[in-house]
Amino acid sequence: MTPLDVVKIRLQAQKNPFPKGKCFVYSNGLMDHMCVCEDGNNKAWYKKPGNFQGTLDAFLKILRNEGIKSLWSGLPPTLVMAVPATVIYFTCYEQLSAFLRAKLGENETRIPIVAGIVARFGAVTVISPLELIRTKVQSKKFSYKELHRFVSMKVSEDGWISLWKGWAPTILRDVPFSAMYWYNYEILKKWLCEKSGLYEPTFMINFTSGALSGSFAAVATLPFDVVKTQKQTQLWTHESRKSPVPFHLSTWAIMKNIVSESGFSGLFTGLIPRLIKIAPACAIMISTYEFGKAFFQKQNVERQYNSLDGLLTRNVNQSQVR
């Protein structure tokens, strides 16, 4: 999904050039990244000049003039964050779901909600310090020594809790999203299997269930996503300019300010772009995950069967020798 956001940011930069200290959100469907513009030249991927007439035109011109690699600009930070986040998230969900099913039964409908909430809460909490460090690294190039000095300074000034800045709005968006996503995904998957007369879901059933449940959760949690974006953008803008951070940046205060300025619809700004990214991203992630899980489960069963078959053959041979 990264090319979609690369095109979006390039179109935004063309209409309103990013000055020094300007913050923008880079969101490729898997993770959000807060980027701070530090230099005034056109070397950064999001500042390269272009004369784009629209999304398709920008896509084709970037592809033709800069090469296919440019459509995946800014991907490395996502991969660095996605690996630990995804490992923690899916492992927690699977293990907790199995534990709850053993205790409450297979048909308990609350299991996906509880497992999804706990898994996302744990993943966001563990990854939050890395998110802060990654955001700082994105703003300009740091050596490991400078990065260590920055972390030490933050801890000495504000304590260890300072490494979890931005945790609250992220929790408000991601935990409800996860609860709604997993609940609807499990319900839709079961319903589609029953309608298709299948015992096990196919790749397309997983894909469709993931897309639909992701879309519903994305719409329901969009107000918190708008607030999170505004809050993080303002925080990082003030920090990059070395100006004092205002005290009215609570989640509720920002939400009330949005409603007073833009009406209730302001809380749903960016609905279409979010759906365009979230729906296929959720579908791709869950369907490939389920496919990989089924593949390795099959491999494990075959390995156990071969081991058992080998053991029985060896016992038979020993009996014949006797």
PDB file of all heavy atoms in Angstrom, residues 302-315:
ATOM      1  N   GLU A 302       2.455 -33.074   8.908  1.00  0.00           N
ATOM      2  CA  GLU A 302       3.187 -34.033   8.071  1.00  0.00           C
ATOM      3  C   GLU A 302       4.469 -34.483   8.747  1.00  0.00           C
ATOM      4  O   GLU A 302       4.842 -35.666   8.675  1.00  0.00           O
ATOM      5  CB  GLU A 302       3.504 -33.385   6.718  1.00  0.00           C
ATOM      6  CG  GLU A 302       2.279 -33.205   5.830  1.00  0.00           C
ATOM      7  CD  GLU A 302       2.616 -32.562   4.500  1.00  0.00           C
ATOM      8  OE1 GLU A 302       3.790 -32.181   4.301  1.00  0.00           O
ATOM      9  OE2 GLU A 302       1.702 -32.435   3.656  1.00  0.00           O
ATOM     10  N   ARG A 303       5.156 -33.553   9.417  1.00  0.00           N
ATOM     11  CA  ARG A 303       6.388 -33.914  10.111  1.00  0.00           C
ATOM     12  C   ARG A 303       6.107 -34.886  11.258  1.00  0.00           C
ATOM     13  O   ARG A 303       6.842 -35.860  11.460  1.00  0.00           O
ATOM     14  CB  ARG A 303       7.053 -32.642  10.651  1.00  0.00           C
ATOM     15  CG  ARG A 303       8.408 -32.876  11.289  1.00  0.00           C
ATOM     16  CD  ARG A 303       9.004 -31.578  11.793  1.00  0.00           C
ATOM     17  NE  ARG A 303       9.231 -30.644  10.706  1.00  0.00           N
ATOM     18  CZ  ARG A 303       9.642 -29.393  10.879  1.00  0.00           C
ATOM     19  NH1 ARG A 303       9.831 -28.921  12.102  1.00  0.00           N
ATOM     20  NH2 ARG A 303       9.850 -28.612   9.836  1.00  0.00           N
ATOM     21  N   GLN A 304       5.013 -34.625  12.011  1.00  0.00           N
ATOM     22  CA  GLN A 304       4.643 -35.528  13.101  1.00  0.00           C
ATOM     23  C   GLN A 304       4.243 -36.902  12.560  1.00  0.00           C
ATOM     24  O   GLN A 304       4.588 -37.940  13.140  1.00  0.00           O
ATOM     25  CB  GLN A 304       3.494 -34.920  13.909  1.00  0.00           C
ATOM     26  CG  GLN A 304       3.891 -33.699  14.723  1.00  0.00           C
ATOM     27  CD  GLN A 304       2.700 -33.034  15.396  1.00  0.00           C
ATOM     28  OE1 GLN A 304       1.547 -33.392  15.112  1.00  0.00           O
ATOM     29  NE2 GLN A 304       2.963 -32.073  16.266  1.00  0.00           N
ATOM     30  N   TYR A 305       3.515 -36.892  11.446  1.00  0.00           N
ATOM     31  CA  TYR A 305       3.087 -38.152  10.833  1.00  0.00           C
ATOM     32  C   TYR A 305       4.297 -38.960  10.368  1.00  0.00           C
ATOM     33  O   TYR A 305       4.377 -40.179  10.595  1.00  0.00           O
ATOM     34  CB  TYR A 305       2.163 -37.865   9.653  1.00  0.00           C
ATOM     35  CG  TYR A 305       1.748 -39.100   8.888  1.00  0.00           C
ATOM     36  CD1 TYR A 305       0.746 -39.950   9.363  1.00  0.00           C
ATOM     37  CD2 TYR A 305       2.380 -39.438   7.683  1.00  0.00           C
ATOM     38  CE1 TYR A 305       0.386 -41.078   8.668  1.00  0.00           C
ATOM     39  CE2 TYR A 305       2.024 -40.565   6.975  1.00  0.00           C
ATOM     40  CZ  TYR A 305       1.016 -41.393   7.470  1.00  0.00           C
ATOM     41  OH  TYR A 305       0.679 -42.526   6.780  1.00  0.00           O
ATOM     42  N   ASN A 306       5.253 -38.280   9.717  1.00  0.00           N
ATOM     43  CA  ASN A 306       6.460 -38.976   9.239  1.00  0.00           C
ATOM     44  C   ASN A 306       7.295 -39.511  10.399  1.00  0.00           C
ATOM     45  O   ASN A 306       7.863 -40.602  10.318  1.00  0.00           O
ATOM     46  CB  ASN A 306       7.304 -38.014   8.397  1.00  0.00           C
ATOM     47  CG  ASN A 306       6.645 -37.662   7.080  1.00  0.00           C
ATOM     48  OD1 ASN A 306       5.830 -38.437   6.564  1.00  0.00           O
ATOM     49  ND2 ASN A 306       6.964 -36.499   6.526  1.00  0.00           N
ATOM     50  N   SER A 307       7.371 -38.744  11.485  1.00  0.00           N
ATOM     51  CA  SER A 307       8.118 -39.195  12.663  1.00  0.00           C
ATOM     52  C   SER A 307       7.462 -40.429  13.278  1.00  0.00           C
ATOM     53  O   SER A 307       8.126 -41.393  13.644  1.00  0.00           O
ATOM     54  CB  SER A 307       8.205 -38.076  13.704  1.00  0.00           C
ATOM     55  OG  SER A 307       8.877 -36.959  13.186  1.00  0.00           O
ATOM     56  N   LEU A 308       6.099 -40.390  13.379  1.00  0.00           N
ATOM     57  CA  LEU A 308       5.362 -41.519  13.934  1.00  0.00           C
ATOM     58  C   LEU A 308       5.476 -42.735  13.035  1.00  0.00           C
ATOM     59  O   LEU A 308       5.657 -43.872  13.511  1.00  0.00           O
ATOM     60  CB  LEU A 308       3.892 -41.121  14.116  1.00  0.00           C
ATOM     61  CG  LEU A 308       2.974 -42.159  14.764  1.00  0.00           C
ATOM     62  CD1 LEU A 308       3.452 -42.471  16.178  1.00  0.00           C
ATOM     63  CD2 LEU A 308       1.534 -41.652  14.794  1.00  0.00           C
ATOM     64  N   ASP A 309       5.396 -42.499  11.701  1.00  0.00           N
ATOM     65  CA  ASP A 309       5.513 -43.598  10.737  1.00  0.00           C
ATOM     66  C   ASP A 309       6.889 -44.243  10.822  1.00  0.00           C
ATOM     67  O   ASP A 309       7.028 -45.477  10.782  1.00  0.00           O
ATOM     68  CB  ASP A 309       5.266 -43.060   9.330  1.00  0.00           C
ATOM     69  CG  ASP A 309       5.190 -44.176   8.299  1.00  0.00           C
ATOM     70  OD1 ASP A 309       4.411 -45.123   8.510  1.00  0.00           O
ATOM     71  OD2 ASP A 309       5.917 -44.093   7.291  1.00  0.00           O
ATOM     72  N   GLY A 310       7.927 -43.408  10.962  1.00  0.00           N
ATOM     73  CA  GLY A 310       9.282 -43.924  11.085  1.00  0.00           C
ATOM     74  C   GLY A 310       9.475 -44.725  12.356  1.00  0.00           C
ATOM     75  O   GLY A 310      10.150 -45.766  12.360  1.00  0.00           O
ATOM     76  N   LEU A 311       8.862 -44.261  13.452  1.00  0.00           N
ATOM     77  CA  LEU A 311       8.973 -44.964  14.730  1.00  0.00           C
ATOM     78  C   LEU A 311       8.282 -46.316  14.667  1.00  0.00           C
ATOM     79  O   LEU A 311       8.817 -47.339  15.149  1.00  0.00           O
ATOM     80  CB  LEU A 311       8.347 -44.102  15.837  1.00  0.00           C
ATOM     81  CG  LEU A 311       8.408 -44.649  17.257  1.00  0.00           C
ATOM     82  CD1 LEU A 311       9.860 -44.784  17.712  1.00  0.00           C
ATOM     83  CD2 LEU A 311       7.637 -43.737  18.214  1.00  0.00           C
ATOM     84  N   LEU A 312       7.078 -46.362  14.047  1.00  0.00           N
ATOM     85  CA  LEU A 312       6.348 -47.635  13.917  1.00  0.00           C
ATOM     86  C   LEU A 312       7.117 -48.622  13.042  1.00  0.00           C
ATOM     87  O   LEU A 312       7.195 -49.824  13.339  1.00  0.00           O
ATOM     88  CB  LEU A 312       4.961 -47.363  13.325  1.00  0.00           C
ATOM     89  CG  LEU A 312       3.956 -46.645  14.234  1.00  0.00           C
ATOM     90  CD1 LEU A 312       2.697 -46.286  13.467  1.00  0.00           C
ATOM     91  CD2 LEU A 312       3.610 -47.525  15.433  1.00  0.00           C
ATOM     92  N   THR A 313       7.687 -48.122  11.935  1.00  0.00           N
ATOM     93  CA  THR A 313       8.468 -48.984  11.043  1.00  0.00           C
ATOM     94  C   THR A 313       9.666 -49.582  11.771  1.00  0.00           C
ATOM     95  O   THR A 313       9.983 -50.777  11.624  1.00  0.00           O
ATOM     96  CB  THR A 313       8.947 -48.171   9.818  1.00  0.00           C
ATOM     97  OG1 THR A 313       7.815 -47.615   9.156  1.00  0.00           O
ATOM     98  CG2 THR A 313       9.716 -49.066   8.859  1.00  0.00           C
ATOM     99  N   ARG A 314      10.335 -48.738  12.593  1.00  0.00           N
ATOM    100  CA  ARG A 314      11.508 -49.201  13.334  1.00  0.00           C
ATOM    101  C   ARG A 314      11.110 -50.257  14.362  1.00  0.00           C
ATOM    102  O   ARG A 314      11.803 -51.267  14.529  1.00  0.00           O
ATOM    103  CB  ARG A 314      12.166 -47.999  14.026  1.00  0.00           C
ATOM    104  CG  ARG A 314      13.519 -48.318  14.586  1.00  0.00           C
ATOM    105  CD  ARG A 314      14.383 -47.069  14.801  1.00  0.00           C
ATOM    106  NE  ARG A 314      13.688 -46.063  15.589  1.00  0.00           N
ATOM    107  CZ  ARG A 314      13.267 -44.895  15.106  1.00  0.00           C
ATOM    108  NH1 ARG A 314      13.478 -44.608  13.821  1.00  0.00           N
ATOM    109  NH2 ARG A 314      12.641 -44.019  15.865  1.00  0.00           N
ATOM    110  N   ASN A 315       9.955 -50.083  15.031  1.00  0.00           N
ATOM    111  CA  ASN A 315       9.505 -51.046  16.001  1.00  0.00           C
ATOM    112  C   ASN A 315       9.150 -52.379  15.349  1.00  0.00           C
ATOM    113  O   ASN A 315       9.423 -53.468  15.900  1.00  0.00           O
ATOM    114  CB  ASN A 315       8.295 -50.499  16.760  1.00  0.00           C
ATOM    115  CG  ASN A 315       8.666 -49.378  17.711  1.00  0.00           C
ATOM    116  OD1 ASN A 315       9.825 -49.262  18.107  1.00  0.00           O
ATOM    117  ND2 ASN A 315       7.687 -48.544  18.075  1.00  0.00           N
TER     118      ASN A 315
END
